[in-house]
């Protein structure tokens, strides 16, 4: 019984910490702006210290003009965590005339599904992971050499940020359809994929190396030996 | 072929007086119709563009009218995947102005405001008692609110265009302090959801945050305005009916003319050997010229009305909604279609009826 309670507390702790990640990110960004506008010569803080400790350090250094407790906390979070450089969304780099080499559709019309593969310095754009995987698996049908692939990117379903396809998690069998019907829905982390799976009645989560040609063709209702 | 067009030119010139009457009447009617229809299309486009720049969602407290939203809900929003650019907002009505308080340090989900905030010197703006507004909305370059004087921040015309009419924008903390409002409550919270496939799910999750949390998305807002335009469209339907009635009169007028002069002309043409097809082409070209001239004059007149009286039908929609007339091809094409179909029918059907009778009979 004690073990179950302990596991519950740990899982809640981890889950809770993960959930506030978005808020921490937003506060750090706000803190950076506040620091640029209201502060001069911010102290070098010990990043292993708590937020409260860093807040005290900032206050004692008198480097910021009077800040409200909320603003002070944002600056402390900024100093502790730093700010992630927001990556350019994948769809923003899709050229207007780029067509999916598998289905022939214009990729810019389906921005949230954009995927990209760089082969021998040439960029190919796809209107979904399913078509990208067809291109990847059936290279005999398409004139390219798989050995020359230098980059594969997919768009995270929630944030539309570009994610390395080999590190992404994919949900199959959900009730969300792409421009070409059933899709492999990409996510940057497993937690997002799990939440999506529950929300949208997905069947399972797979990693890039677990995807098979049979799996891809089955999305179109085609059985492969 | 050359003699055909030569005859057509001579005949059109000889009938010019009759044509001028019809062109004048049609152009006048078309100019009013164009002014009204283009004006409606311009209002609709401007309004929908404004909605497009708004945040994807607004979280409200549906407990009672004017209920404030607890700021804690903002933390809960951060927990919903797919939600971004969360911004609390405070609205206060003051002397006919809408005072809007926004956090200038957060990413704003409103595209226009986000662009505006990025374009100003935040350090200067936040260090003094500045506000953002359209210059034309304030008599002086400053305003006194509750013993505090706020100066208008200098903006270019392009920047001013990003601010709604009669709206004064303040830093949210200053506005809360000014009206002695609880800093833990705001009027609403705006946010974006980047992937619109997730909108329904996010809306469900937001609505279940609390028994009184209510998420309103801009697609629903657009739908509501579309319905309003459809309702107001009833007014324009009446105008259409008037147009139809006038065209019916033209039809009657032209048909009665065939009883005498035109009937004889068709009969003579048949008598000198013209085929039914040639007569129909001849009359079609004659009508096409009249339709073309009257349509061009009508559209030109319609745009003149719009340019010199921009508020012609403005009051039907919104009192303070100035809008420039747009070139709306679809509207103009539908006007041309309605006009030309009725006009051609009014000319070609009677001509065809006469042309198929014996020339001798037609001339009698």
């Amino acid at each position: 019984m004690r073990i179950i309670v302990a596991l519950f507390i740990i899982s809640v702790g981890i889950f809770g910490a993960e959930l506030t990640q978005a808020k921490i990110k937003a506060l750090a960004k706000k803190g950076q702006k506040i620091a640029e506008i209201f502060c001069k010569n911010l102290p070098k803080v010990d990043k292993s210290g708590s937020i409260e400790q860093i807040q005290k350090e900032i206050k004692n250094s008198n480097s910021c003009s009077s800040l409200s407790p909320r603003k002070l906390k944002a600056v402390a979070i900024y100093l502790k965590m730093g700010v992630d450089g927001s990556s350019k969304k994948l769809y923003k780099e899709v050229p207007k005339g780029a067509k999916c080499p598998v289905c022939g559709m214009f990729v810019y019309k389906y921005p949230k599904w954009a995927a990209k593969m760089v082969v021998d310095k040439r960029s190919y754009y796809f209107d979904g992971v399913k078509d990208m995987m067809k291109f990847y698996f059936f290279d005999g049908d398409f004139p390219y050499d798989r050995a020359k692939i230098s980059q594969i990117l997919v768009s995270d379903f929630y944030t539309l940020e570009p994610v390395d396809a080999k590190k992404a998690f994919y949900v199959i069998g959900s009730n969300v359809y792409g421009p070409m019907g059933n899709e492999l829905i990409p996510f940057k982390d497993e937690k997002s994929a799990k939440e999506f799976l529950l929300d949208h009645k997905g069947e399972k989560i797979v990693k890039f190396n677990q995807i098979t040609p049979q799996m891809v063709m089955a999305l179109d209702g085609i059985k492969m030996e | 072929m050359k003699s055909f067009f030569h005859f057509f030119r001579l005949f059109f010139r000889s009938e010019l007086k009759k044509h001028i009457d019809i062109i004048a009447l049609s152009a006048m009617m078309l100019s009013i119709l164009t002014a009204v229809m283009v004006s409606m299309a311009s209002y609709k486009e401007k309004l929908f563009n404004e909605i497009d720049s708004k945040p994807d969602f607004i979280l409200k407290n549906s407990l009672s009218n004017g209920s404030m939203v607890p700021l804690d809900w903002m933390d809960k929003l951060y927990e919903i995947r797919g939600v971004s650019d969360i911004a609390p907002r405070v609205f206060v009505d003051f002397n006919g102005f809408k005072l809007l308080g926004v956090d200038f340090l957060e990413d704003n989900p409103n595209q226009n405001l986000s662009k505006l905030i990025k374009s100003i010197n935040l350090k200067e703006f936040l260090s003094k008692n500045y506000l953002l507004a359209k210059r034309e909305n304030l008599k002086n370059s400053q305003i006194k609110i509750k013993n505090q004087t706020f100066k208008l921040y200098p903006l270019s015309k392009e920047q001013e265009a990003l601010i709604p009419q009669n709206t004064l924008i303040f830093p949210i903390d200053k506005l809360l302090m000014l009206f002695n409002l609880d800093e833990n409550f705001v009027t609403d919270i705006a946010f974006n959801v980047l992937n619109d496939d997730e909108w329904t799910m996010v809306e469900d999750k937001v609505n279940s945050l609390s028994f009184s949390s209510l998420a309103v998305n801009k697609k629903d807002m657009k739908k509501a305005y579309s319905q309003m335009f459809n309702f107001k469209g009833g007014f324009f339907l009446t105008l259409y009916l008037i147009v139809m009635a006038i065209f019916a009169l033209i039809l009657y007028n032209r048909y009665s003319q065939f009883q005498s002069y035109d009937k004889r002309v068709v009969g003579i043409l048949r008598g000198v050997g013209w085929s039914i097809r040639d007569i129909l082409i001849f009359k079609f070209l004659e009508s096409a010229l009249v339709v073309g001239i009257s349509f061009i004059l009508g559209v030109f007149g319609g745009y003149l009305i719009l340019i010199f009286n921009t508020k012609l039908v403005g009051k039907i929609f919104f009192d303070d909604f100035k809008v420039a007339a747009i070139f709306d091809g679809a509207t103009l094409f539908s006007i041309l279609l309605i006009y030309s179909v009725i006009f051609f029918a009014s000319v070609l059907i009677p001509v065809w009826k006469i042309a198929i009778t014996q020339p001798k009979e037609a001339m009698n």
Side-chain angles (χ1 to χ4, degrees), chain B residues 4-184:
Chain B
F4 176 86
F5 282 107
H6 182 66
F7 177 69
F8 174 76
R9 199 158 50 88
L10 291 175
F11 188 78
F12 193 84
R13 205 183 284 169
S14 70
E15 302 281 302
L16 202 59
K17 199 182 170 302
K18 186 180 83 185
H19 293 317
I20 284 172
D21 290 347
I22 293 170
I23 288 172
L25 177 73
S26 305
M28 202 171 69
M29 206 167 52
L30 284 173
S31 59
I32 294 169
L33 193 64
T34 304
V36 174
M37 299 294 285
V38 170
S39 162
M40 186 175 81
S42 310
Y43 275 84
K44 199 171 178 179
E45 191 181 279
K46 165 122 191 192
L47 185 70
F48 282 11
N49 282 345
E50 288 223 342
I51 293 174
D52 283 339
S53 77
K54 281 181 184 293
D56 293 342
F57 280 89
I58 290 165
L59 169 57
K60 292 179 173 180
N61 190 345
S62 64
L63 199 60
S64 66
N65 199 14
S67 286
M68 300 289 270
V69 173
L71 217 50
D72 297 355
W73 288 5
M74 202 168 145
D75 295 343
K76 290 180 183 172
L77 279 179
Y78 278 116
E79 295 172 8
I80 299 172
R81 281 183 206 280
V83 171
S84 66
D85 307 333
I86 305 167
R89 309 187 302 181
V90 172
F91 289 97
V92 178
D93 286 325
F94 179 80
N95 283 355
F97 288 112
K98 187 176 261 183
L99 311 188
L100 165 64
V102 292
D103 193 339
F104 282 78
L105 301 164
E106 302 256 17
D107 287 337
N108 202 294
N110 183 313
Q111 289 168 26
N112 285 349
L113 274 184
S114 172
K115 219 187 271 178
L116 181 66
I117 291 169
K118 277 177 191 161
S119 70
I120 62 168
N121 183 344
L122 271 183
K123 197 170 185 172
E124 191 192 351
F125 180 80
L126 294 173
S127 60
K128 289 175 190 165
N129 265 3
Y130 273 125
L131 67 93
L132 298 175
K134 281 187 193 292
R135 193 176 294 272
E136 64 189 46
N137 291 154
L138 287 177
K139 278 179 194 165
N140 307 315
S141 58
Q142 55 186 43
I143 187 169
K144 205 170 183 184
I145 304 171
K146 300 220 169 190
N147 296 328
Q148 274 206 52
T149 307
F150 287 88
K151 267 181 155 182
L152 187 65
Y153 187 81
L155 295 173
S156 66
K157 279 205 167 172
E158 287 78 27
Q159 287 172 314
E160 277 188 22
L162 302 169
I163 305 173
Q165 281 288 348
N166 294 324
T167 303
L168 313 181
I169 306 170
F170 296 84
I172 193 166
D173 41 2
K174 276 187 187 167
L175 197 64
L176 287 167
M177 220 149 57
L178 203 61
F179 288 89
N180 213 10
L181 298 167
D182 188 342
E183 62 170 13
N184 293 313

Side-chain angles (χ1 to χ4, degrees), chain A residues 158 195 199-200, chain B residues 55-60 62 73 76-77 79-84 189 191-223:
Chain A
Y158 287 125
E195 195 170 324
D199 286 345
H200 294 281
Chain B
D56 293 342
F57 280 89
I58 290 165
L59 169 57
K60 292 179 173 180
S62 64
W73 288 5
K76 290 180 183 172
L77 279 179
E79 295 172 8
I80 299 172
R81 281 183 206 280
V83 171
S84 66
I189 299 171
F191 61 93
N192 283 342
V193 176
L194 284 172
N195 193 334
D196 59 359
D197 277 342
E198 195 59 9
W199 278 29
T200 318
M201 185 56 67
V202 168
E203 197 166 342
D204 286 347
K205 286 179 180 174
V206 172
N207 287 340
S208 58
L209 282 181
S210 152
F211 69 96
S212 62
S213 57
L214 176 71
V216 181
N217 72 52
K218 66 180 174 188
K219 278 183 192 165
D220 290 343
M221 220 186 284
K222 234 177 181 175
K223 258 186 225 165

